[in-house]
Amino acid sequence: MGDKPKVWVSRPLFPDIIARLEPVFDVHAEPETRAFSIDDLVGRLHGMSAAVTGLADRIDDRVLSRAPHLKFVANVSVGYNNFDLDAMRAHGVAASNTPDVLTDTTADYAWALMMAAARRVGAAERWLRAGYWHGTRFDQWMGMDLHGSTLGILGMGRIGQAIARRASGFDMKVIYHNRSRLDAGLEHAVNAHYVDKATLLRQADHLMLVLPLTAESRHAIGAAELAMMKPSATLVNIARGGIVDDSALAAALADGRLAAAGLDVFEGEPAVHPALMALDNVVLSPHIASASGRTRRAMAALAVDNVLAFFGHGPHAGKPPSRVV
Ligand code: GLV
């Protein structure tokens, strides 16, 4: 009992899934979701061989240099911008994420936000609930069509491709930009045309952001890029806060230089830019794109399997299926 390795789980997940760690590990699971400071993380990781973390848990040299037992960190998310990969390599700490299991759920949600933004679902619902519906003017609540329009996708990994595949039912033309172009077969399969970033910005009626946050992609959409977009366009960010300059976006939405936006992620979340909060032409959600019951369980299960595998147990013993470091 006493010589089992210790694992820290940074927030409540699903007890039955976490219980699968118990035969192998001494499990220290947080009872509540909270934000941890660097010192909190160091305290929590004391003596831990492994950790199951989320995007809010920053794992960098400040933590790693004070967590000498740590060997493996499993993020319960596909993105891992909370990891300093160089520091992890330097400290010999391996890491994993949860790709694939959330691709379709996240793509579904990107569509939900795009439709809600383009067709003004949020604002119309607020208006109805506020008791204003005594009759609707024929020319009220008019939004933008999706069918027959041009969908632009910035970032064409697994989730971008799943978003593109969904467009065929809406007779949309799909254009995309990505660091590397898809091979011809894949382009054909997802029915998307490669364009440069400027063309993407100028031609998209609806623009989806699906790229990871890196030093390069920070503020990939700022005032200059917004100015290139059609004033009738909608912008959807399901990728990461920081890819969009939220303050420039709020200004464009307020001035009618962009019709609408749907945002699931924010710079500095869980804080949301107050100028966005004040606008009616933006649909806001609290980073829930992967939140279907089935997918959230699959993500937790994959993270647990990754930890077990790293320590030589479980279905993938010895080879975590989604190791990133
Ligand atoms: C969520 O944002 C994720 O990266 O899984």
Side-chain angles (χ1 to χ4, degrees):
M1 183 75 186
D3 50 13
K4 278 187 194 170
K6 295 188 166 91
V7 60
W8 178 61
V9 182
S10 77
R11 64 196 157 147
L13 295 169
F14 301 97
D16 59 314
I17 293 173
I18 294 305
R20 287 172 29 209
L21 292 165
E22 280 163 9
V24 181
F25 292 93
D26 182 3
V27 180
H28 297 249
E30 290 296 323
E32 274 167 47
T33 302
R34 46 161 292 199
F36 296 103
S37 68
I38 296 295
D39 284 339
D40 290 336
L41 287 172
V42 169
R44 294 301 202 282
L45 288 169
H46 182 76
M48 299 291 152
S49 299
V52 178
T53 55
L55 290 163
D57 306 316
R58 177 84 197 142
I59 306 295
D60 61 15
D61 185 66
R62 295 170 298 175
V63 170
L64 296 167
S65 58
R66 293 157 70 195
H69 292 95
L70 196 62
K71 301 260 176 320
F72 190 71
V73 184
N75 234 26
V76 193
S77 66
V78 64
Y80 43 88
N81 49 290
N82 57 313
F83 292 165
D84 179 337
L85 298 185
D86 291 336
M88 295 180 100
R89 271 184 215 103
H91 287 278
V93 173
S96 66
N97 64 341
T98 60
D100 301 321
V101 292
L102 49 56
T103 300
D104 283 304
T105 296
T106 303
D108 288 351
Y109 192 77
W111 273 80
L113 268 187
M114 175 167 62
M115 290 175 164
R119 296 299 303 274
R120 307 177 64 187
V121 175
E125 199 211 4
R126 283 190 292 280
W127 180 84
L128 180 154
R129 283 182 187 270
Y132 292 121
W133 193 20
H134 308 298
T136 322
R137 283 198 340 252
F138 192 63
D139 62 353
Q140 199 175 0
W141 295 120
M142 296 185 296
M144 297 303 297
D145 278 325
L146 282 99
H147 71 273
S149 69
T150 297
L151 171 62
I153 303 178
L154 184 59
M156 201 48 144
R158 289 167 283 222
I159 297 171
Q161 291 167 34
I163 290 169
R165 281 199 304 272
R166 283 158 174 71
S168 59
F170 285 76
D171 290 326
M172 289 168 98
K173 175 180 176 190
V174 183
I175 54 177
Y176 78 98
H177 183 72
N178 194 45
R179 266 178 316 183
S180 47
R181 185 171 176 170
L182 299 183
D183 67 48
L186 203 46
E187 258 183 18
H188 182 74
V190 300
N191 196 20
H193 307 274
Y194 182 81
V195 293
D196 60 33
K197 186 175 168 187
T199 304
L200 184 82
L201 293 169
R202 287 198 187 97
Q203 291 188 357
D205 294 309
H206 308 281
L207 180 63
M208 294 270 191
L209 307 179
V210 207
L211 63 176
L213 178 66
T214 60
E216 235 179 17
S217 67
R218 180 168 296 280
H219 286 189
I221 302 293
E225 289 75 17
L226 291 163
M228 295 168 74
M229 293 178 66
K230 298 181 184 180
S232 56
T234 58
L235 177 71
V236 174
N237 187 7
I238 52 137
R240 270 301 173 272
I243 289 173
V244 176
D245 177 342
D246 283 350
S247 143
L249 173 61
L253 289 165
D255 297 350
R257 285 182 281 118
L258 189 72
L263 306 174
D264 189 46
V265 289
F266 305 88
E267 285 189 288
E269 65 186 53
V272 176
H273 197 296
L276 289 172
M277 289 288 224
L279 290 168
D280 232 14
N281 54 346
V282 55
V283 180
L284 308 169
S285 63
H287 204 148
I288 59 169
S290 67
S292 73
R294 189 168 64 172
T295 290
R296 283 284 162 94
R297 284 185 61 83
M299 292 167 70
L302 179 52
V304 161
D305 283 346
N306 282 332
V307 174
L308 288 169
F310 185 82
F311 288 85
H313 301 271
H316 311 282
K319 195 169 168 292
S322 61
R323 190 165 160 169
V324 293
V325 184

